[in-house]
Amino acid sequence: MSAYLDTSILLATLIAEPMTEAVYDYLSTDPQELLISDFAAAEVASTLSRLVRMALLSEADATARLADFDAWRAAMSSPVDIGATDARLAYIYVRRFDLGLRAPDALHLAIARRLDATLVTPRPAPGDRRSRTGCRRRGAEDELSRSYPAVGPLAHRHKRHDIYADVDI
């Protein structure tokens, strides 16, 4: 089975954050094919651009991180195009108010569903109903335990957190 990585998972490989170590652990543990959509890649670039505008990253640093990401993506994953059917299904998902999905999360979910891939996404914060409400944690066999070399310049490692894989809609 293939694993579709959403933007939050990708960003954790470029920006030191609480789930960075867990993401590296997951990527090094699970040998399945990694899928990254053009939409997810655009969201990565958009986030780094926002950090530059907020003066939290320099332009040179953001450019270097994007170059690292592009090289890693080309070497380690398969590209995924976005289809009109993905947008239509995302529209259906966001209209399901019980899911509480935002449009970008719904689009990632729709793409993963079309590809029959496991959606790998961060664990929502306790009580966070704004996104990923339809996600469930996979079994203990997917417990995150090993490290993965950084693809971008990371300042330090943070405490391990869980990530979610798979979706129950």
Side-chain angles (χ1 to χ4, degrees):
M1 181 152 217
S2 300
Y4 176 87
L5 307 179
D6 86 351
T7 306
S8 297
I9 297 298
L10 298 171
L11 285 169
T13 68
L14 298 169
I15 300 167
E17 57 180 55
M19 71 177 180
T20 294
E21 187 175 339
V23 170
Y24 287 135
D25 291 349
Y26 177 82
L27 293 173
S28 68
T29 302
D30 205 331
Q32 59 191 333
E33 176 188 23
L34 301 178
L35 304 173
I36 300 173
S37 70
D38 295 331
F39 176 68
E43 280 194 303
V44 166
S46 175
T47 299
L48 293 178
S49 177
R50 180 177 53 83
L51 293 174
V52 169
R53 290 191 309 274
M54 295 171 65
L56 297 173
L57 273 182
S58 70
E59 235 178 275
D61 191 12
T63 299
R65 289 174 195 236
L66 282 175
D68 287 345
F69 170 71
D70 290 341
W72 178 81
R73 181 181 178 210
M76 302 300 291
S77 73
S78 298
V80 175
D81 291 327
I82 305 164
T85 58
D86 299 326
R88 285 192 290 275
L89 185 54
Y91 175 69
I92 291 168
Y93 286 154
V94 297
R95 292 177 60 103
R96 282 199 45 197
F97 303 122
D98 61 313
L99 295 177
L101 291 171
R102 292 178 284 204
D105 295 327
L107 186 55
H108 289 302
L109 178 56
I111 293 166
R113 182 168 183 163
R114 173 178 51 88
L115 299 171
D116 193 30
T118 299
L119 173 62
V120 182
T121 189
R123 180 181 200 175
D128 182 3
R129 292 199 33 99
R130 293 175 298 161
S131 66
R132 297 178 184 86
T133 305
C135 297
R136 63 176 170 78
R137 182 148 187 258
R138 288 181 71 181
E141 71 275 11
D142 290 328
E143 189 61 33
L144 310 171
S145 62
R146 296 187 205 148
S147 64
Y148 186 78
V151 297
L154 297 175
H156 58 285
R157 297 284 183 131
H158 288 277
K159 182 172 112 180
R160 198 164 90 197
H161 291 261
D162 290 336
I163 60 173
Y164 271 70
D166 210 284
V167 173
D168 189 16
I169 296 285

